[in-house]
Amino acid sequence: MKMHQFLQFLNQQLTHWRRQYKTLRRKGKLVRSPKGKTHRRELLRTILKNVFLFLSKTNEKSKRRKQERALRAKVKSVKTKGSICAVGLDWAYKQRYSVILAIAVVSLTGIIGYKLYNQTQLRVGHPAPQTITAPYTASIEDQKKTEAERKAVSTSSLQVLMLDARINEKINENLQQLLDDGNEIRAVAGAFPFFDPVVLSISTQRYLRSCSESEWQALLSAVENSKNQQQKRIGQTTPAAPNQKRQPRITSKSDTQSLEKTEPVDFSQNTDFTQAVAELESYRLTTSEKSLSLVIAEISQTRQRYIQATAKLLKLETLSPQAVYEESLLLDLSDVEWEKTQMGIHQSIERILTQGIPQGLPKNILQDAVSLQLQTFVPESAETLAKNLLLAVLKPNLQKDEEQTRQNAQKAAAGVPPVMVKVRHGEVIVKKGAQITAWNFQVLEHYHLIRREVKWQELVKLGGVIAIAIGIFVWVERHIDYELRQRDRLLVLLLTLSVPGVIVIGLPYTTWSALGLLLGSFYGPTLGLTVVGLLWPILGISLDMSKAALLAGVGGGILGSYIAQRLRSREELALLGVAIALTQGGIYLLVKILIGQVFGSTWYIVFQEAGLFALSGLGWSVVALGLSPYLEKVFDLVTPIRLAELANPNRPLLKRLATETPGTFQHTLLVATLAEAAAKELGCNVELVRAGTLYHDIGKMHDPLGFIENQMGGPNKHDTEIKDPWKSAEIIKKHVTEGLVMARKHLLPTAIQAFIPEHQGTMLIAYFHHQAQQMAQSDPSLTVDDADFRYDGPIPQSRETGIVMLADSCEAALRSLQASAKSVGEKRSVKDVSTEQALAMLNNILRAKWQDNQLVDSGLKREEMSKIAQIFVDVWQQFHHKRIAYPKLKASSTGRNS
C-alpha cells in the first residue's frame, strides 16, 4: 500500500515536471537560461529528498506534510535565487547601451584630446607667478644659440653640384645643328681646294674663288696681255679660235656694261693678284693654251658656287639670333681642316661639359677655358671659328644637388657642439611678474618646474562636443532601416578611433578611406556618411593638422561610404580603392592650387605630397579589403558580397544538400524564387532572403527519407516503419535543431541561422497532429498535447524570415495544386485551371498564418498579405506557363517520317 502510494505520488511529480520542462523548452527559456543546469540540479535534489522523507518516516500524514513543506521551501529558494540573478542580469542587459555610449565618449575624448593631458601652467610670454630659483647647479644647453650656430654652419657649407644630363643633351643638339648648317653651306660652295695645289697654291685658289668681279676680269686681261706680249717677242701670231676670246669670262650683261663705263683699275700692286697671274701664266707655259682655258672655266664655276654659298650664309646670319659663321672663317678652310675642326670641337665640348660649367661663371673665364681646349684639338686657322661655335652653345650645366647638399649641411651642423650655460644653485631663473622668455622656460623645464597639469575644462568641453556628435549618431541610427547590435556599435567605435589614433602616433596619412569603405560596406551609406561627417569638424578644431590633408581624407571617406554597399564583388571594391586614392590626391592638389602653394619654389613638394596621399588612400583601402572578411566573421556581419559568396552553389553545405537531399534542394530553389520576388517588391534585403532561403532546410540532411520530397515516389517511412505520429513529429521538428547545429558548425552568420527556426516559427505539424488525434479517439489512454506537435520557434523576427515562412508554406500548396491539376488531364493547362484557385488558396494560407500569430513580430503588415499572395501566383505562373500542343506524327505506309 505504501509503495503504491509512493509510486502514484512520484508519477504525479514526474508528470508535473515533464509538463513544466516542455513549457520552458517551448518558450525557449530552458535553453537560453544560464541557470538551466542549476535549476534541473535543484529539482533532482528535491526529488531525492522527497524520496528519503517518504521512506524514513512511518507516519504517512507527517511524511506528506514535511514533504510538502520541504518542496515549497526548496521551490521558494530556487525562485528567490533565480529572481535575484534575473534582476541583476536584466539590469546589466538594459544598461549595456549606456555603457557603450559612455565608453565611446571617454575613448574619443581621450584620444582626440591627448594634448590636454600634459599642459604647462607656465608659458612663454606670460608673467611668472613667483620668483623661481635654481634648486641645484647644472649645465643646461641653450637650444636657441646652438640652433643658430648650427644653422650658420649649415648655411655656409659648400653646395654640392651635379651634372644635368638634359642640359648636356640640349647643348650637343644645338652644336650639331650649327655644324650641320656649316656643312650645308660648304656643300654649296663645293670642294676646296678645287684644283691641284701643286699647280695653284691654296692661297691663290682662295683668292681666285673670293676676289671681286673686277679683279677677276683684270686678272683675265693680264693673262691675255702676257700671252700677246710673248707672241710678239717670238714673232709668231696664233689665230684665235672662234668665240674663244671671251669664253673664260662668265659675266652678266650688267657687269659688262659697268666695266665699259668704269675705268680700268691697276691691281698690279696686289700681291695675291700678281701671284695668281704668275701661277696661271706658268701653268700655260708648262701645259697648253687649251689646258689654261679649262682651268679658267673651272675657276669661273667655282666662283659662282662661292657666290651662292655666300648668299646662303648671309641669309642664315640674318635668320639666326646669334651669327657664328663668317665668310672668311668657314669657306676659307680646306676640307681636311674642316674635318679636323669638327672633331676638335666635339672633343673640346665633351671635356668642357664633363668638367662642368657652374651658374654665374664669368664670361672671360669661359672664353679662356674654351681657347685652352681648342689649342690642342683644332687647327690654328680654325680656332676663331671653333671658339665662336662653342661660345654660342655652351651654358651652365651644373645644378645644385639638393639631397647631397642637405646631407652635407646636416653633417656639418651635427659637428657643432651644443652651447652649454652653467646655472648655479640659488640663481634666480625668473622674477615674480617678469615675462617668461624661451630661455627661462627651457631652464624651468630642465629643473621640472613647469608645473604640468591636465586641462580638465578643455577636456570637458571636448567631451561635450563629442557627446553631441554621438547623440546625432544615435538619432540617425534610430531612423535607418538597419538595427545595430551592441557588437556593431563597438565595431563602429573601433573604426572611428582608428582615424585620430593614427594622427596621434604622428602619421598624417590616416585611415579615412578604410573607415568609409568598411562602414559603407557593413552598414550602408547613411551611417558611413554620418560618422565621417561628424568626425570631420571635431578633428578640424581639436587637432593641429593640415586642412588640405583633412579635406583629402574626408573626401576619400565620403566616396567610400557612399558607394561601397552598392558593389557586389571584391574586385569592384578594389576599383573603388583606386577611385578613393585618386580622389584624395586630387583634392589635396586642388586645395594647394587654390591657396597658391603650387606656384612657389616648393611646387615639387606639393606634387610629392599629393602622390603620397593618393598612395595612402590606396594602401588603407587594401588594408580594409584584407580586414573585411575577418571583421565579418568576428562581428557576425552580413554584407552583399558575403551573402553572394554564401549563395554560391559550390559551398560545402549546399553541395551536400543538392547531393543528399535532391528533393529538398529543388524545393529550396523554388522557395528562394518566390521569396526573392516578394522581397524585391516589398523593398527587403533580397540578397539576405536568397542566402537565408538556401540554408533554411539544411537540417533535413539528418534524415532525408523522413521528408516526402526526398522519397521520390517510394514508400513513406512514417507509414511503413514508424507508425507513431509523436515520433514522426520529433523527426520533422529535428530538422530545425539539426540545421542550427550544422549552421554553427559551418560558421554561418547569425542572420542566416535565423531563417532555420524562424521559417517554421511555432507552427503546428498538422498532418501528424491529426493522426495523433485520431489515435486518441480510438484509444482513450492517449492524450494529445499540442506542444508535442508544434515547432519550438521562435516566430519570424524580421520581414525577411517572415517572407520565407510564407514562401515555404505556399510552395508546398502550389506544388500540390500543380499535381492535382495534372491529374485532371493534359487538355487543360495549369494556368487555365487554377489561377484563381491558387490565389484563393494562398490567401487562405497567409490568413491562417496571420491568425496563428506567426507574423506579429516580423514587421509584415496585414495589408501586404494579399500583395504577397499575388506575387507568389505570378511567379508560379511564369514557371508553369502554357505550352504549345504539338501535333502527333503518324508513320507513313513506307515507314518514312514526314
Side-chain angles (χ1 to χ4, degrees):
M1 183 67 180
K2 291 182 179 180
M3 183 60 65
H4 176 72
Q5 291 176 354
F6 168 71
L7 293 176
Q8 186 178 5
F9 169 75
L10 186 60
N11 184 39
Q12 291 175 356
Q13 291 294 328
L14 291 174
T15 303
H16 172 72
W17 290 329
R18 180 172 175 270
R19 289 176 181 173
Q20 186 178 5
Y21 176 79
K22 288 186 176 181
T23 303
L24 292 173
R25 184 181 176 189
R26 183 172 67 254
K27 293 181 179 180
K29 295 182 179 179
L30 189 61
V31 177
R32 291 194 293 265
S33 175
K35 298 297 183 179
K37 293 183 179 179
T38 305
H39 182 67
R40 289 193 292 270
R41 191 180 301 113
E42 294 294 337
L43 292 176
L44 181 60
R45 289 177 182 176
T46 303
I47 294 172
L48 295 176
K49 188 169 184 179
N50 287 334
V51 173
F52 176 77
L53 289 174
F54 183 85
L55 295 175
S56 63
K57 300 298 181 180
T58 56
N59 191 336
E60 184 175 344
K61 292 183 179 179
S62 63
K63 289 187 237 177
R64 192 169 295 237
R65 290 194 192 99
K66 291 181 180 179
Q67 195 174 8
E68 290 175 355
R69 284 197 300 268
L71 181 61
R72 283 196 299 269
K74 183 62 65 178
V75 171
K76 184 178 180 181
S77 175
V78 171
K79 287 184 178 179
T80 303
K81 292 179 180 178
S83 62
I84 293 174
C85 295
V87 170
L89 292 174
D90 184 62
W91 181 87
Y93 179 80
K94 289 180 179 179
Q95 297 299 322
R96 71 193 189 283
Y97 186 44
S98 301
V99 171
I100 290 181
L101 291 180
I103 292 174
V105 173
V106 172
S107 58
L108 284 171
T109 304
I111 292 180
I112 296 176
Y114 73 100
K115 289 186 176 180
L116 301 175
Y117 303 149
N118 201 22
Q119 295 291 312
T120 59
Q121 291 182 352
L122 304 179
R123 297 182 182 179
V124 176
H126 288 201
Q130 64 185 29
T131 300
I132 305 174
T133 59
Y136 55 88
T137 303
S139 294
I140 304 174
E141 178 188 354
D142 190 337
Q143 295 179 356
K144 186 175 181 180
K145 292 183 179 180
T146 303
E147 186 65 26
E149 290 188 8
R150 289 176 178 175
K151 186 175 181 180
V153 172
S154 175
T155 304
S156 61
S157 62
L158 295 177
Q159 294 183 353
V160 179
L161 302 178
M162 63 178 179
L163 293 174
D164 193 331
R166 293 176 299 177
I167 296 178
N168 287 349
E169 183 179 356
K170 186 65 176 177
I171 291 174
N172 287 321
E173 288 179 0
N174 294 337
L175 176 62
Q176 189 60 45
Q177 181 64 43
L178 291 177
L179 293 177
D180 290 341
D181 293 340
N183 287 326
E184 185 178 353
I185 293 172
R186 287 182 61 85
V188 173
F192 185 78
F194 56 86
F195 201 70
D196 187 359
V198 177
V199 178
L200 294 176
S201 63
I202 297 295
S203 59
T204 298
Q205 293 187 46
R206 185 180 293 116
Y207 170 75
L208 292 174
R209 189 177 61 163
S210 61
C211 66
S212 63
E213 184 63 25
S214 58
E215 285 184 87
W216 172 243
Q217 295 298 331
L219 189 145
L220 292 178
S221 300
V223 172
E224 184 70 22
N225 294 334
S226 176
K227 182 185 72 170
N228 294 334
Q229 291 177 3
Q230 184 180 6
Q231 288 178 351
K232 288 178 180 180
R233 284 197 301 267
I234 62 176
Q236 295 178 352
T237 57
T238 304
N243 301 327
Q244 188 175 357
K245 184 176 181 180
R246 291 296 178 182
Q247 185 176 356
R249 302 192 180 196
I250 305 175
T251 59
S252 61
K253 184 176 180 182
S254 60
D255 292 336
T256 304
Q257 292 175 353
S258 62
L259 289 173
E260 291 176 354
K261 293 179 181 179
T262 58
E263 296 180 358
V265 180
D266 184 12
F267 294 100
S268 59
Q269 301 299 323
N270 189 338
T271 307
D272 293 333
F273 179 86
T274 55
Q275 182 178 351
V277 172
E279 289 183 4
L280 289 175
E281 187 66 29
S282 175
Y283 180 70
R284 183 179 61 183
L285 294 175
T286 57
T287 56
S288 62
E289 189 69 30
K290 183 177 181 181
S291 297
L292 179 62
S293 298
L294 293 175
V295 170
I296 291 175
E298 185 174 353
I299 294 173
S300 298
Q301 293 176 2
T302 301
R303 285 176 55 78
Q304 292 297 323
R305 288 195 296 268
Y306 185 83
I307 292 172
Q308 294 176 5
T310 304
K312 190 174 183 63
L313 181 60
L314 180 62
K315 182 178 180 181
L316 179 64
E317 292 178 354
T318 303
L319 297 177
S320 176
Q322 184 178 5
V324 296
Y325 288 117
E326 296 180 9
E327 177 183 345
S328 59
L329 296 177
L330 176 63
L331 297 179
D332 289 351
L333 295 176
S334 66
D335 292 345
V336 175
E337 290 175 332
W338 176 244
E339 288 297 329
K340 291 181 179 180
T341 300
Q342 291 186 87
M343 292 179 61
I345 289 174
H346 282 297
Q347 292 174 347
S348 299
I349 198 170
E350 182 179 359
R351 297 183 66 175
I352 293 172
L353 293 180
T354 302
Q355 294 174 357
I357 304 174
Q359 296 283 348
L361 183 68
K363 189 174 181 180
N364 60 331
I365 296 179
L366 180 60
Q367 292 174 352
D368 294 341
V370 170
S371 300
L372 184 63
Q373 292 291 340
L374 292 176
Q375 289 177 2
T376 307
F377 302 106
V378 175
E380 184 178 358
S381 58
E383 286 185 9
T384 304
L385 175 62
K387 183 177 180 180
N388 292 339
L389 284 171
L390 290 180
L391 292 176
V393 298
L394 286 176
K395 58 182 179 180
N397 66 336
L398 291 177
Q399 290 189 345
K400 183 180 178 181
D401 189 340
E402 298 287 348
E403 182 64 23
Q404 192 63 37
T405 301
R406 184 180 61 81
Q407 291 180 4
N408 287 354
Q410 289 179 351
K411 187 180 295 185
V416 177
V419 178
M420 305 301 293
V421 177
K422 190 173 184 178
V423 180
R424 300 185 179 278
H425 173 68
E427 182 179 343
V428 176
I429 300 174
V430 61
K431 293 182 179 181
K432 182 179 180 179
Q435 285 191 349
I436 300 174
T437 64
W439 167 246
N440 297 148
F441 187 85
Q442 186 177 344
V443 175
L444 291 172
E445 190 172 17
H446 176 81
Y447 286 116
H448 303 288
L449 299 174
I450 295 298
R451 301 179 186 177
R452 297 187 178 274
E453 63 178 355
V454 178
K455 297 292 185 180
W456 292 108
Q457 186 177 1
E458 299 297 328
L459 279 175
V460 170
K461 290 181 181 179
L462 179 60
V465 173
I466 292 175
I468 294 173
I470 292 177
I472 297 174
F473 171 81
V474 171
W475 182 86
V476 173
E477 174 197 337
R478 293 180 177 178
H479 287 77
I480 61 175
D481 296 333
Y482 193 94
E483 184 178 355
L484 295 184
R485 304 160 297 174
Q486 301 308 321
R487 67 183 69 183
D488 296 324
R489 297 186 180 98
L490 180 60
L491 177 58
V492 172
L493 175 60
L494 292 176
L495 293 176
T496 305
L497 289 173
S498 69
V499 178
V502 172
I503 297 175
V504 167
I505 65 177
L507 187 64
Y509 315 108
T510 190
T511 62
W512 287 104
S513 58
L515 174 68
L517 197 150
L518 290 175
L519 288 181
S521 178
F522 293 160
Y523 306 114
T526 302
L527 204 64
L529 291 174
T530 300
V531 173
V532 173
L534 292 174
L535 196 59
W536 175 14
I538 292 176
L539 295 184
I541 63 177
S542 302
L543 298 179
D544 297 330
M545 59 183 305
S546 169
K547 304 305 178 186
L550 181 62
L551 289 174
V554 170
I558 290 175
L559 181 64
S561 301
Y562 186 72
I563 299 180
Q565 200 173 50
R566 302 182 182 183
L567 308 181
R568 293 296 182 269
S569 67
R570 307 282 180 191
E571 181 181 1
E572 291 178 345
L573 283 178
L575 293 177
L576 176 59
V578 176
I580 290 174
L582 296 177
T583 301
Q584 289 196 177
I587 291 177
Y588 184 87
L589 186 60
L590 180 61
V591 173
K592 291 297 184 179
I593 290 175
L594 293 177
I595 63 179
Q597 289 191 7
V598 176
F599 307 107
S601 59
T602 59
W603 61 269
Y604 62 93
I605 298 179
V606 174
F607 280 94
Q608 179 182 351
E609 286 294 321
L612 290 175
F613 269 98
L615 289 177
S616 70
L618 181 61
W620 284 118
S621 299
V622 171
V623 171
L625 289 176
L627 289 177
S628 179
Y630 300 101
L631 294 177
E632 290 171 1
K633 292 280 188 182
V634 173
F635 290 90
D636 192 26
L637 298 168
V638 286
T639 61
I641 294 175
R642 191 180 184 194
L643 291 174
E645 293 172 349
L646 290 172
N648 188 339
N650 290 320
R651 302 284 294 191
L653 270 180
L654 296 182
K655 290 180 72 174
R656 281 187 57 196
L657 185 67
T659 304
E660 300 176 15
T661 57
T664 300
F665 187 69
Q666 292 301 321
H667 156 76
T668 298
L669 294 179
L670 294 176
V671 173
T673 304
L674 295 175
E676 278 187 85
K680 186 176 181 180
E681 288 294 328
L682 297 180
C684 300
N685 191 334
V686 179
E687 290 86 0
L688 179 60
V689 169
R690 171 74 177 175
T693 308
L694 291 176
Y695 290 94
H696 80 287
D697 270 345
I698 57 175
K700 291 183 178 180
M701 288 189 287
H702 85 282
D703 189 2
L705 295 180
F707 302 89
I708 191 169
E709 66 264 22
N710 298 315
Q711 294 171 1
M712 303 300 179
N716 191 337
K717 64 182 293 184
H718 297 283
D719 298 332
T720 58
E721 300 178 12
I722 302 176
K723 298 180 182 179
D724 185 350
W726 281 271
K727 292 183 179 180
S728 297
E730 286 295 327
I731 293 174
I732 299 300
K733 290 167 62 175
K734 197 174 181 181
H735 89 274
V736 173
T737 56
E738 290 294 328
L740 287 173
V741 171
M742 292 181 183
R744 296 187 184 106
K745 181 180 179 181
H746 288 79
L747 301 178
L748 293 182
T750 303
I752 300 298
Q753 295 181 24
F755 284 84
I756 298 174
E758 292 180 20
H759 86 278
Q760 295 292 359
T762 57
M763 289 191 302
L764 187 69
I765 306 175
Y767 180 82
F768 296 113
H769 181 262
H770 179 67
Q771 278 190 356
Q773 286 181 332
Q774 289 181 337
M775 293 175 65
Q777 290 177 1
S778 59
D779 186 0
S781 64
L782 297 175
T783 57
V784 179
D785 188 356
D786 289 352
D788 295 335
F789 295 91
R790 281 191 179 274
Y791 289 98
D792 298 327
I795 60 176
Q797 301 297 306
S798 65
R799 290 166 63 86
E800 286 78 10
T801 55
I803 290 173
V804 174
M805 168 185 273
L806 300 179
D808 186 63
S809 302
C810 293
E811 190 276 333
L814 291 172
R815 185 156 27 89
S816 63
L817 182 62
Q818 176 189 356
S820 62
K822 287 184 177 179
S823 64
V824 174
E826 296 182 354
K827 294 182 179 180
R828 300 170 67 188
S829 69
V830 173
K831 183 177 180 180
D832 295 335
V833 172
S834 54
T835 301
E836 295 181 357
Q837 181 183 356
L839 187 58
M841 178 186 295
L842 296 192
N843 279 320
N844 290 334
I845 293 174
L846 269 57
R847 188 182 304 111
K849 294 289 184 293
W850 186 268
Q851 293 175 353
D852 195 25
N853 293 327
Q854 297 295 317
L855 301 172
V856 292
D857 294 337
S858 66
L860 293 173
K861 300 178 182 178
R862 180 66 183 88
E863 56 269 20
E864 292 176 334
M865 296 297 105
S866 57
K867 184 177 181 180
I868 293 173
Q870 184 63 54
I871 295 170
F872 288 167
V873 171
D874 293 341
V875 174
W876 177 67
Q877 287 179 344
Q878 293 172 8
F879 271 92
H880 306 290
H881 56 80
K882 184 177 180 180
R883 297 183 179 274
I884 298 175
Y886 290 93
K888 296 182 179 180
L889 301 178
K890 296 182 179 180
S892 62
S893 59
T894 58
R896 296 179 180 177
N897 294 331
S898 58

